[in-house]
Amino acid sequence: MKNKFSRNHYKIAPALTMCFLFLSSLAAFSQSSNDGSIKISLAEAIRLAKTNNKVVESGRMEQDAADEDLKDAKAAALPSLSFSGSYQRFTKLTLYTNGLSDSKSIPKNPGPNGADLGANANFNIYSGGRNRSAIEEQQHRSTLSEVSLLETSGSIALQVASQYLDLIKLRSQKKLTQEQITRAETRLRNINALYRNSKVTKSDVLRAELNLSNVKLIMQQVDNDISISSRRLAVLINVGGEVEIVPSEALTQEPADIEAVQNLVNTTTADAFGVRKFDENIKIIGARIKGVKSNYYPSISAISAYGLSYPNTIFNPPVDQAYSIGLVGIRVQYNLSSLYHNKHKVSAATTRLKALELQKAALTDNLSQEAVSLGIKYGEALNRINVIQKQIEQAEVNYKIVSAKYFNQLALLTDLLDADNLLQESRFNLILAQNALQTIFYRLQFTSGKL
């Protein structure tokens, strides 16, 4: 049912699904502002990528080609029909006697003209299941192309999710950096006031200025990274690299619960793209073995022909008249060489089948281990977020205490800058942990074949 659903989903895509996604993209673009930016959600970005991405479109074409190959395999079971016609104009007949020294020419009997027109039909009655196995193999190849398309779409969706989350992280970092610049500017003004009143040395002013310059350099770097990340995301969803993508979501959205994550872990080995591809390849080899074994059996076909010819050469001498004649019959063929040729072909295909089954088992083990690891890391990321939130509260209180001490001449500027950096680091660590949590979830979705 799953393969059938995916087949119908992608076959309807040019009409209904593509129309829906196009309207969705229009809705997304309708949120664009005058500065050429587009505000878009992660779900919308993934839908756009699955519709517009060039790699996905290439995979969709490959699936269409596989469907045509399946139709061709089914058409091979239909009767074979052929028509032929010819016309000949003969020269005179030259007769030689005594070697080539004495010759004479006479007209061809009954005339110089000849013509044939005929039709032939051949219908396969029995061939040991050769056509059936060929159709079965092509059906599995068509299904394999569907799974490959789903895997390609999932891979692009994972890249989009990763880039989108990275863009959110950078924008959050920019906000934190702007807050740090504000703190640094306020701190510098207060230190300048203390310096004018001879409360601090020039060294503190210079260090405060240097700290502000460093934070501004970080802001410039973050702005550049945002621009690069936005361009990468725009290319993935194929809306043009000049368009600025503005995420409409935040990293603080409600995370998936552990039960949903565990369900993904449990279904990985059954639904993973790689496992499903191995399943289809195993079925392809199985159908191929059936096709090879069909050579052990005879082939039986019904034949018929009908033709119109001139002149009548059935009689002797030929008669200057046209004639028509037809036939129907049964043709039975058996290739004796198949008794010793097929043995090695079947053995080779059977060995390849066993090798594929071993590779599938190895992949299943690896995917299961990866899914379990991602599930563990997801729980770890949830716990890390809770710990970092407490650290932020502690860092905020510490900064206020150290700041009050410094401006009351009870602490060094180094202590104040360290407290500021600790606050900034703890806040940024929360962004990294939230980003890691979402990234792990999307990686787990892809690994389990759900993205």
Side-chain angles (χ1 to χ4, degrees):
M1 292 297 295
K2 184 178 295 183
N3 290 339
K4 190 173 182 180
F5 173 78
S6 61
R7 175 193 295 270
N8 292 336
H9 173 75
Y10 280 101
K11 284 197 171 185
I12 295 175
L16 298 179
T17 307
M18 293 286 284
C19 179
F20 171 76
L21 294 176
F22 177 71
L23 292 176
S24 299
S25 64
L26 286 180
F29 280 108
S30 65
Q31 302 178 34
S32 59
S33 59
N34 295 330
D35 59 358
S37 63
I38 301 175
K39 193 172 185 179
I40 189 173
S41 68
L42 178 53
E44 290 170 340
I46 290 176
R47 284 199 296 268
L48 282 173
K50 289 187 175 184
T51 307
N52 300 337
N53 186 269
K54 295 176 181 177
V55 177
V56 175
E57 181 62 25
S58 174
R60 193 175 290 117
M61 290 180 179
E62 181 60 33
Q63 183 197 353
D64 292 340
D67 289 340
E68 292 300 320
D69 288 337
L70 175 58
K71 294 177 183 178
D72 179 66
K74 291 180 178 179
L78 298 176
S80 174
L81 303 174
S82 63
F83 296 90
S84 61
S86 64
Y87 169 78
Q88 306 90 32
R89 175 75 180 183
F90 295 94
T91 63
K92 287 184 177 182
L93 180 64
T94 302
L95 304 176
Y96 298 93
T97 58
N98 298 324
L100 299 177
S101 60
D102 187 11
S103 64
K104 63 178 180 178
S105 298
I106 60 175
K108 176 182 175 293
N109 187 30
N113 297 310
D116 294 283
L117 182 65
N120 296 277
N122 188 319
F123 180 73
N124 178 57
I125 298 176
Y126 176 77
S127 59
R130 187 177 299 111
N131 288 342
R132 193 163 53 248
S133 62
I135 293 173
E136 182 182 350
E137 178 179 346
Q138 203 55 54
Q139 284 175 333
H140 293 308
R141 289 190 180 278
S142 179
T143 304
L144 178 62
S145 69
E146 294 173 13
V147 178
S148 296
L149 177 57
L150 290 173
E151 183 180 33
T152 300
S153 299
S155 176
I156 294 299
L158 180 61
Q159 295 179 48
V160 169
S162 177
Q163 205 64 54
Y164 189 95
L165 294 172
D166 186 64
L167 189 55
I168 296 177
K169 179 194 71 176
L170 290 170
R171 286 184 167 272
S172 300
Q173 183 183 1
K174 179 178 180 180
K175 181 180 178 181
L176 292 181
T177 306
Q178 184 59 59
E179 292 175 357
Q180 189 178 24
I181 289 176
T182 301
R183 292 197 305 271
E185 289 175 340
T186 302
R187 184 166 55 243
L188 179 59
R189 286 195 300 270
N190 293 334
I191 291 176
N192 276 323
L194 292 174
Y195 176 70
R196 286 192 296 271
N197 293 322
S198 301
K199 299 292 184 180
V200 296
T201 64
K202 183 64 175 179
S203 174
D204 281 7
V205 175
L206 294 176
R207 293 189 64 182
E209 290 177 345
L210 179 60
N211 176 259
L212 177 60
S213 298
N214 289 336
V215 177
K216 287 183 177 180
L217 284 176
I218 293 175
M219 174 64 82
Q220 183 181 4
Q221 178 184 347
V222 172
D223 283 334
N224 292 336
D225 290 341
I226 289 175
S227 177
I228 293 171
S229 183
S230 176
R231 284 178 174 271
R232 288 175 178 170
L233 183 57
V235 170
L236 283 172
I237 63 178
N238 198 21
V239 295
E242 298 78 14
V243 178
E244 181 184 2
I245 306 298
V246 179
S248 62
E249 300 177 6
L251 291 171
T252 55
Q253 59 184 344
E254 188 70 21
D257 56 53
I258 294 297
E259 184 178 350
V261 171
Q262 190 60 43
N263 183 57
L264 289 175
V265 173
N266 294 337
T267 58
T268 293
T269 54
D271 299 333
F273 298 120
V275 174
R276 291 162 62 184
K277 287 171 69 175
F278 265 114
D279 286 338
E280 296 306 321
N281 278 312
I282 289 173
K283 292 175 182 177
I284 288 172
I285 297 296
R288 190 174 299 165
I289 291 175
K290 293 179 183 178
V292 174
K293 288 182 176 180
S294 68
N295 292 323
Y296 285 123
Y297 302 96
S299 61
I300 303 173
S301 57
I303 59 173
S304 65
Y306 193 85
L308 176 66
S309 298
Y310 173 84
N312 184 356
T313 57
I314 294 181
F315 298 154
N316 190 20
V319 181
D320 186 13
Q321 64 181 178
Y323 73 96
S324 61
I325 190 171
L327 65 88
V328 293
I330 298 291
R331 177 185 292 130
V332 179
Q333 290 180 305
Y334 185 76
N335 188 357
L336 290 175
S337 63
S338 64
L339 295 175
Y340 49 87
H341 281 164
N342 278 1
K343 177 181 178 182
H344 302 294
K345 292 180 181 178
V346 172
S347 178
T350 303
T351 302
R352 290 191 178 95
L353 181 61
K354 293 178 180 178
L356 278 178
E357 290 173 344
L358 286 175
Q359 292 175 27
K360 176 190 172 183
L363 177 66
T364 300
D365 292 340
N366 291 335
L367 287 174
S368 178
Q369 177 62 35
E370 182 179 358
V372 170
S373 300
L374 289 173
I376 294 173
K377 285 296 182 182
Y378 189 85
E380 178 186 320
L382 280 175
N383 183 61
R384 180 179 288 111
I385 289 174
N386 295 329
V387 173
I388 293 176
Q389 286 173 340
K390 295 179 181 178
Q391 290 177 348
I392 291 175
E393 296 175 1
Q394 296 167 348
E396 288 174 345
V397 173
N398 178 66
Y399 178 76
K400 291 179 181 178
I401 294 174
V402 176
S403 179
K405 285 184 175 180
Y406 173 76
F407 289 107
N408 286 290
Q409 303 296 297
L410 298 175
L412 299 175
L413 179 60
T414 302
D415 298 329
L416 179 57
L417 295 180
D418 287 343
D420 183 81
N421 290 333
L422 181 61
L423 175 61
Q424 185 73 2
E425 182 182 356
S426 60
R427 288 177 174 176
F428 185 60
N429 285 340
L430 177 61
I431 293 175
L432 293 178
Q434 291 170 337
N435 178 273
L437 182 73
Q438 297 294 334
T439 301
I440 290 171
F441 181 69
Y442 279 98
R443 282 182 58 193
L444 185 55
Q445 280 189 308
F446 174 74
T447 302
S448 60
K450 302 295 193 306
L451 188 58

